[in-house]
Amino acid sequence: MRPFLICLTFVLVLVSTVTQAATYQSHQLQDNKLQLQTDEYTVSLSFKSKGAVEVVYQKAGMKQLPSFALAAPEQQLAATLSEQPQQLEFATTDLKVRIHKAPFQLSYYRGNELILAEEQGFFAHETLRGFRFALQDDEKLLGTGERVVGMDRRGQRLPLYNKASYGYTTEAQQMYFGLPAVMSSKKYLVLFDNSASGFVDLGKTEKDVLQFEAIAGRTSYIVMTAATYPALIEQYVTVTGKQPLPPRWAFGNFASRFGYHTEAETRAIVDKFAAEDFPLDAVVLDLYWFGPDIQGHMGNLAWDKKAFPNPKGMISDFKAKGVNTVLITEPFVLSTSSRWDEAVKAKALAKDLAGKPKTFDFYFGNTGLVDVFSKEGTVWFEGIYNELADYGVAGWWGDLGEPEVHPADAIHSIGTADEIHNAYGHRWAELVYKNRLDQQPTQRPMIMMRSGFAGSQRFGMIPWTGDVSRSWDGLKPQVELSLQMGLLGMAYTHSDLGGFAGGEVFDKEMYIRWLQYGVFQPVYRPHAQEQIAPEPVLHDKETKDILREYVKLRYRLFPYNYSLAYQNSTTGMPLMRPLFFENEADTSLIANRDSYLWGDAFLVTPVTAAGVKSVSVQLPQGVWLDYWTDKVYQGGQTIQQPTDLTSLPVLVRAGSFVPMVPAVQSLKDYSSRQLELHYYHDKSIAQAKGQMYEDDGVSPDSLKSDQYELLTFGAAAHNNSLTLDLNRTGLGYTGMPKQREVTLVVHQLAKPAEVLVNGKTLKWVGSEAELTVGTAWFDKAKQQVRLKLNWDQAKVKVVLQ
């Protein structure tokens, strides 16, 4: 018994040693980086912005991986340090870190308000490390990426391990794109900068404790705070990187399925969209472009010339029509593929414990995995993208990048599979993004991937919500998924419109409802398994007639949608916005996952059940108009908004400006020379403003080089007069219209006695058909004033009185 007791005593002492509270010993401040020494570990603190601080704990002998979350610092920040007998305070104007000396503990303050404090704080064992924070009783928690668990995620214990969730519906705790970050109703955000397999416990095990844990990896977290949720998101993207503007064509309609088998089939579907008068900007080729069937060919990553005899000609012909080609690629190289020997020779693959290429079996065959973290893997993969770009490929779809199968004994150049698993898709996106900019510096990369890490947005990643069930239950969680991802930088998260997985009988109503909702999603891409056509042009006349108008509406709204992209790229503001942004004091709004704001103007409530005649809509304060009928609703109440199969429930905020253009067959032909500007008037709105961003839609440097035009709109109501100001600012861009013919539509306004443009009175005409520049028309039935003007100067003033 004696040896056992001695051993047991040793173990208990060891555990006690690594979990007991540490005590402060000394500190050093250099270049605004504070290093603290305790009797247990070293702690480094550095401010990444005025409202964000990075904290790194280091125990002797503990391996630290590089940060994947942090973007390159843009500025050096001045921080102050003060010392008292019991504590230190390290602070900027926006965030204070108080360091309690014994026991050692960090607490975070916004002004004098405590927002977050370590509980136990840092813990580290051989196979478990992480952080524990104290939760306040009334706070609600959001974030953690793609999950279907409700908007308030407090009370959940969620895996931090990106994993495919095939055919998911209304509940999913683990999905393709987890994020180790939590946003609190207390207006702070904490990010666990660790890419290893782990968990985040949001008060599940202990109701007052937020715990991040991982089996290995970086022992660091970043705390951010701000006065509002949008400002908090801006802090987050300031630290982790802002999303570059996608190319203009990425906002158009996509033809996509699993998959087009031949060049002839692909050409036929592109022609079908044109013949059916459906706009189209992209065609997506799934894995049949490199093999005749599903299994055995992954890793070929070269055209199957039997099926696609003239890919360069096909892509060129599509490009002439304004249709861009997007190719799927995967990081798996099957041992049966034509590139296996090449990949092995190039040392491009993750290794096994013997140092040989790691092989394993999964659905598609026996495979290896590209080591995107190694120089050899990067160079080899870049060579393939360079080859494919020479064919004219415009967009890149990275699939299975969790990776979908990732054995724990796969060894990458910087660590084991479990140490870097969650950063695999992130690093893959970085590889493609930097390669494309290096090889095509005048073109914006378009990169669609289903898995990544905190900060993946800075590589232009466009995520989707994976292989969702083709059902009403698959449609139901899509708003929640996109809203949660948008809070943490991934603002282009969208769904396979119509659903992807399963489905044996075409559900017409569900399909129409999903594609209607897609108009107000970041990316419009129907995609599904091919037993039921995902493309609207292949369905019955009624389905086509309904959806044709919605796809054209998507194109007509491009100036508005692109302005949302500008806002996202400059501030991190998501395109899809939760209702709790409208009244941050009312935390009950956090639970709403049925409706959302599309930008600032639109309130959208997707129909997610069959046979619905109305939907319940929780209206924010203000005045709201039904988009289709202009019916007015007072905010601050819950309404039943009528709907039928032809009308998606959409409301417009009074005081909104919505710029629109005529629909085109492809955004290659986009122009705002004919601009339709809608202003939604209400007598309760004394002042209003809006904006419209334009650039060439191609250049990666439009924002950095100020090569854009920003149109701003203002409205001011006084007594019985309404004044609208239109302003053109910015350096401009190549191809910018010198003049725009503007049709100004003012909603819900009684007929004014007079309309003046820059002091000149317009002539009234008797019908819309008679409208020309310098005239106005009053639509009595709709209570709208319409007028036309030439906008060829910096400012235009319109007065309706």
Side-chain angles (χ1 to χ4, degrees):
M1 285 294 292
R2 188 168 219 143
F4 171 78
L5 288 173
I6 293 173
C7 183
L8 178 60
T9 302
F10 173 77
V11 171
L12 290 174
V13 170
L14 175 64
V15 172
S16 175
T17 298
V18 297
T19 59
Q20 69 184 9
T23 301
Y24 163 87
Q25 292 183 331
S26 64
H27 71 269
Q28 182 178 2
L29 179 64
Q30 186 173 8
D31 297 329
N32 290 313
K33 183 174 183 179
L34 178 63
Q35 184 163 300
L36 303 161
Q37 188 66 51
T38 78
D39 55 348
E40 290 288 328
Y41 39 71
T42 301
V43 186
S44 298
L45 290 84
S46 57
F47 281 95
K48 301 303 177 184
S49 73
K50 290 181 180 180
V53 63
E54 181 194 21
V55 183
V56 183
Y57 281 76
Q58 179 67 62
K59 280 184 70 71
M62 178 180 288
K63 176 184 176 183
Q64 288 281 3
L65 290 172
S67 172
F68 292 106
L70 291 171
E74 296 181 0
Q75 55 182 326
Q76 290 292 321
L77 292 162
T80 61
L81 179 66
S82 60
E83 184 173 7
Q84 298 174 8
Q86 300 301 319
Q87 69 180 32
L88 302 169
E89 186 171 278
F90 191 45
T92 67
T93 56
D94 295 352
L95 178 61
K96 299 176 186 176
V97 187
R98 290 183 183 166
I99 301 125
H100 195 268
K101 292 182 178 180
F104 185 85
Q105 183 197 48
L106 304 182
S107 303
Y108 301 89
Y109 291 78
R110 183 176 55 245
N112 292 320
E113 179 189 3
L114 173 66
I115 56 168
L116 179 67
E118 294 182 343
E119 187 247 15
Q120 169 67 31
F122 175 58
F123 60 87
H125 305 279
E126 286 190 8
T127 59
L128 191 66
R129 60 188 64 177
F131 300 95
R132 289 167 59 89
F133 302 93
L135 291 172
Q136 300 179 47
D137 289 342
D138 60 340
E139 67 180 300
K140 297 179 183 291
L141 302 176
L142 301 107
T144 75
E146 286 180 357
R147 325 273 181 179
V148 187
V149 294
M151 290 294 288
D152 179 7
R153 295 176 169 187
R154 187 164 182 173
Q156 300 280 338
R157 178 172 167 82
L158 302 169
L160 293 175
Y161 189 87
N162 294 341
K163 184 178 180 182
S165 183
Y166 180 83
Y168 69 90
T169 56
T170 57
E171 185 176 343
Q173 289 193 332
Q174 184 176 21
M175 294 181 65
Y176 306 85
F177 203 135
L179 287 167
V182 173
M183 177 185 286
S184 168
S185 58
K186 298 298 182 182
K187 310 288 176 57
Y188 71 80
L189 195 156
V190 58
L191 165 63
F192 183 37
D193 191 3
N194 183 299
S195 60
S197 175
F199 282 86
V200 56
D201 194 313
L202 300 98
K204 170 70 171 178
T205 305
E206 299 168 78
K207 68 183 182 64
D208 297 327
V209 174
L210 168 65
Q211 179 170 300
F212 292 98
E213 61 192 69
I215 63 168
R218 186 172 175 82
T219 48
S220 170
Y221 66 85
I222 301 143
V223 173
M224 296 157 246
T225 188
T228 67
Y229 291 114
L232 184 55
I233 294 171
E234 187 166 9
Q235 286 284 357
Y236 179 83
V237 299
T238 298
V239 170
T240 63
K242 294 184 173 76
Q243 178 104 23
L245 282 167
R248 180 187 289 159
W249 61 264
F251 293 88
N253 183 26
F254 285 56
S256 185
R257 65 159 54 191
F258 180 33
Y260 302 118
H261 293 255
T262 65
E263 180 178 331
E265 184 182 19
T266 312
R267 286 181 179 272
I269 197 65
V270 169
D271 291 344
K272 182 71 171 173
F273 275 85
E276 294 286 352
D277 189 26
F278 272 75
L280 185 67
D281 267 87
V283 61
V284 182
L285 294 180
D286 211 316
L287 47 75
Y288 297 115
W289 72 268
F290 56 73
D293 45 45
I294 295 174
Q295 294 174 310
H297 309 287
M298 191 171 286
N300 284 352
L301 296 177
W303 293 96
D304 178 356
K305 291 298 185 70
K306 291 182 179 179
F308 293 86
N310 183 18
K312 184 170 285 191
M314 177 189 73
I315 292 172
S316 177
D317 291 346
F318 290 167
K319 192 70 174 177
K321 298 174 181 179
V323 178
N324 296 271
T325 302
V326 180
L327 289 189
I328 194 172
T329 57
E330 303 92 352
F332 296 96
V333 182
L334 299 189
S335 58
T336 55
S337 73
S338 59
R339 289 194 189 262
W340 173 255
D341 290 340
E342 174 191 314
V344 171
K345 184 177 180 181
K347 300 180 180 179
L349 304 174
K351 297 178 172 58
D352 63 17
L353 296 175
K356 299 176 182 178
K358 172 66 180 177
T359 59
F360 50 96
D361 294 329
F362 78 141
Y363 175 76
F364 297 95
N366 181 260
T367 192
L369 177 66
V370 178
D371 185 0
V372 295
F373 300 94
S374 72
K375 180 180 179 181
E376 294 85 355
T378 297
V379 169
W380 183 80
F381 224 179
E382 285 179 336
I384 291 171
Y385 288 111
N386 293 340
E387 289 175 16
L388 297 173
D390 287 343
Y391 285 90
V393 174
W396 310 97
W397 170 15
D399 201 12
L400 313 182
E402 294 78 27
E404 185 167 291
V405 180
H406 202 188
D409 60 347
I411 308 301
H412 295 265
S413 62
I414 65 170
T416 67
D418 283 348
E419 286 179 307
I420 51 82
H421 174 83
N422 293 321
Y424 188 94
H426 174 90
R427 169 59 193 139
W428 183 15
E430 179 184 19
L431 181 159
V432 178
Y433 180 72
K434 290 183 175 179
N435 169 257
R436 289 299 86 219
L437 281 181
D438 180 61
Q439 297 296 313
Q440 297 172 310
T442 61
Q443 296 183 37
R444 296 175 191 171
M446 190 278 186
I447 301 169
M448 192 172 74
M449 291 195 173
R450 76 182 194 185
S451 188
F453 190 68
S456 290
Q457 71 276 355
R458 68 179 180 265
F459 306 127
M461 186 188 286
I462 296 176
W464 79 103
T465 59
D467 295 340
V468 58
S469 168
R470 186 174 0 203
S471 66
W472 288 107
D473 280 351
L475 173 56
K476 284 180 172 68
Q478 295 308 314
V479 170
E480 175 186 347
L481 289 166
S482 288
L483 289 180
Q484 290 282 357
M485 291 288 281
L487 293 174
L488 296 175
M490 305 308 303
Y492 288 88
T493 303
H494 64 285
S495 63
D496 288 348
L497 299 180
F500 175 82
E504 299 303 321
V505 178
F506 179 54
D507 188 330
K508 176 176 174 175
E509 183 183 2
M510 184 274 294
Y511 176 80
I512 289 174
R513 289 307 198 181
W514 207 323
L515 269 66
Q516 288 172 336
Y517 157 53
V519 171
F520 301 93
Q521 265 195 23
V523 175
Y524 198 88
R525 187 183 55 85
H527 179 74
Q529 293 169 336
E530 62 185 332
Q531 70 268 25
I532 302 171
E535 305 91 343
V537 296
L538 298 179
H539 290 291
D540 62 273
K541 184 178 186 303
E542 183 185 32
T543 299
K544 288 188 291 189
D545 289 347
I546 291 172
L547 293 178
R548 182 183 295 109
E549 296 310 308
Y550 276 88
V551 174
K552 288 189 175 183
L553 176 60
R554 171 82 178 185
Y555 279 72
R556 292 179 63 212
L557 283 170
F558 175 78
Y560 177 85
N561 295 346
Y562 199 53
S563 300
L564 303 187
Y566 161 73
Q567 293 166 20
N568 174 255
S569 290
T570 52
T571 71
M573 189 69 160
L575 288 73
M576 292 174 65
R577 302 167 187 177
L579 263 61
F580 66 82
F581 279 17
E582 292 294 300
N583 182 0
E584 298 190 359
D586 184 359
T587 57
S588 69
L589 292 172
I590 287 174
N592 192 316
R593 54 179 174 178
D594 300 316
S595 301
Y596 65 96
L597 295 158
W598 178 245
D600 206 40
F602 294 102
L603 176 58
V604 183
T605 306
V607 178
T608 60
V612 169
K613 302 302 181 185
S614 67
V615 295
S616 179
V617 182
Q618 192 175 7
L619 291 182
Q621 293 294 330
V623 175
W624 297 85
L625 290 75
D626 187 297
Y627 179 68
W628 311 105
T629 67
D630 272 6
K631 180 179 178 179
V632 176
Y633 296 93
Q634 293 299 318
Q637 62 173 327
T638 297
I639 66 166
Q640 292 297 316
Q641 186 178 3
T643 183
D644 60 32
L645 191 59
T646 66
S647 62
L648 176 74
V650 180
L651 295 157
V652 188
R653 187 197 307 267
S656 294
F657 286 93
V658 178
M660 302 177 74
V661 292
V664 289
Q665 182 59 29
S666 162
L667 289 171
K668 174 179 71 73
D669 301 321
Y670 168 79
S671 172
S672 63
R673 289 179 178 86
Q674 300 288 327
L675 182 64
E676 189 174 282
L677 180 62
H678 292 257
Y679 176 65
Y680 290 85
H681 171 69
D682 186 80
K683 61 184 179 181
S684 66
I685 307 295
Q687 302 280 339
K689 60 183 179 179
Q691 64 179 195
M692 173 179 156
Y693 172 86
E694 285 212 324
D695 60 21
D696 64 9
V698 177
S699 170
D701 297 321
S702 297
L703 290 173
K704 187 180 295 184
S705 61
D706 295 325
Q707 297 296 306
Y708 60 84
E709 185 177 35
L710 190 63
L711 312 181
T712 59
F713 318 118
H718 182 68
N719 295 331
N720 293 319
S721 174
L722 177 65
T723 300
L724 301 173
D725 292 304
L726 283 61
N727 298 284
R728 299 177 64 167
T729 62
L731 297 179
Y733 60 93
T734 302
M736 181 181 73
K738 294 181 179 179
Q739 174 179 291
R740 293 179 176 89
E741 182 181 284
V742 179
T743 301
L744 182 59
V745 183
V746 183
H747 294 249
Q748 291 302 300
L749 185 70
K751 184 177 181 180
E754 186 178 26
V755 179
L756 300 94
V757 175
N758 289 339
K760 184 178 179 179
T761 301
L762 301 192
K763 175 186 175 183
W764 289 102
V765 296
S767 68
E768 186 174 16
E770 299 175 69
L771 262 182
T772 57
V773 171
T775 67
W777 172 62
F778 180 66
D779 185 337
K780 185 176 181 180
K782 294 182 178 179
Q783 289 290 291
Q784 294 176 2
V785 176
R786 291 177 174 257
L787 59 103
K788 281 198 174 183
L789 59 92
N790 278 330
W791 190 2
D792 55 3
Q793 51 194 301
K795 297 183 179 181
V796 173
K797 181 182 289 292
V798 179
V799 179
L800 303 98
Q801 60 186 15

